[in-house]
Amino acid sequence: HRDAEENVEKNSSLEKGRDSSSSNESRRRSESVDNQTSPIAVTLSGMQRFRFFLSLWPYTVPLFVVYTAEYCLQSGVWSAIGFPVSSASARDNFYLRANWCYQGGVFLSRSSGSLFAPPSLGILWLLPSLQAALFGLFFWFALLGDKGDEGTLYDRGAFLVLCSVAGLFGGAVYVHGFKLISVTMDLE
């Protein structure tokens, strides 16, 4: 009977030791996480964080323009283009191919972002402007509809290349915008 009581006491003290060592371990882990937290997230007040957010406008405006142009291209303009435009299946076919080309361009530019140095802020603003110009061009072609000359204005291959270029611009702004933030902003 005594041996059983001694074993229970030993097991209980071992478990307490494990509990305290595991609680010490978890305390050390949480302290190390606290030490790794970025000072900007810990030390700034709500107003300072808001001011910091506002200081990012040179980088966020190009991102906003790119995403707006992308949305307008994919959800509106490309669905109105087809060869011939009067055929619903031709419009569906162009829409499908245009989106595949766009996503291919995005994939290429996002995948190759580490190969290039961050561009200047001027280049970062130029790319969304060019993508917005492509939106204007596609919008104009969509407005023309069947009035365009099939032989000169409407070249499916050229249209799909332009869709890929729009994707290249969009992906490049995304990758290089965040790269430029990390290089130029003092986040400490």
Side-chain angles (χ1 to χ4, degrees):
H1 182 67
R2 247 185 185 177
D3 290 336
E5 285 178 6
E6 286 176 7
N7 283 339
V8 168
E9 285 178 25
K10 282 182 186 177
N11 287 338
S12 147
S13 67
L14 284 174
E15 286 176 12
K16 285 180 185 174
R18 279 189 211 139
D19 288 345
S20 68
S21 70
S22 69
S23 104
N24 287 339
E25 179 67 26
S26 80
R27 197 175 309 123
R28 270 185 259 136
R29 281 187 203 147
S30 95
E31 286 172 0
S32 103
V33 167
D34 288 344
N35 290 338
Q36 292 174 356
T37 304
S38 173
I40 202 163
V42 174
T43 60
L44 296 181
S45 69
M47 183 53 80
Q48 289 170 324
R49 289 179 190 194
F50 183 67
R51 285 188 187 130
F52 176 73
F53 170 74
L54 291 179
S55 73
L56 295 174
W57 74 267
Y59 310 98
T60 56
V61 169
L63 287 167
F64 176 78
V65 171
V66 152
Y67 290 132
T68 303
E70 172 187 346
Y71 180 79
C72 291
L73 284 168
Q74 291 182 328
S75 67
V77 175
W78 287 343
S79 63
I81 297 174
F83 304 99
V85 76
S86 57
S87 166
S89 65
R91 288 192 310 272
D92 290 345
N93 188 24
F94 177 78
Y95 181 77
L96 178 68
R97 290 172 190 250
N99 278 289
W100 273 107
C101 289
Y102 182 88
Q103 292 306 323
V106 169
F107 176 76
L108 282 175
S109 62
R110 286 188 183 182
S111 300
S112 61
S114 62
L115 300 176
F116 303 102
S120 68
L121 200 54
I123 297 293
L124 189 68
W125 280 71
L126 176 65
L127 294 174
S129 302
L130 292 173
Q131 192 177 29
L134 284 174
F135 165 72
L137 182 67
F138 280 112
F139 187 78
W140 181 63
F141 283 128
L143 282 177
L144 283 177
D146 284 329
K147 296 175 193 156
D149 179 10
E150 290 266 343
T152 57
L153 283 181
Y154 290 116
D155 181 8
R156 274 177 261 202
F159 272 40
L160 295 176
V161 167
L162 290 175
C163 294
S164 297
V165 169
L168 287 170
F169 291 160
V173 169
Y174 179 82
V175 167
H176 293 299
F178 287 107
K179 194 185 247 188
L180 208 51
I181 288 171
S182 69
V183 170
T184 60
M185 298 293 294
D186 181 23
L187 301 177
E188 296 296 323

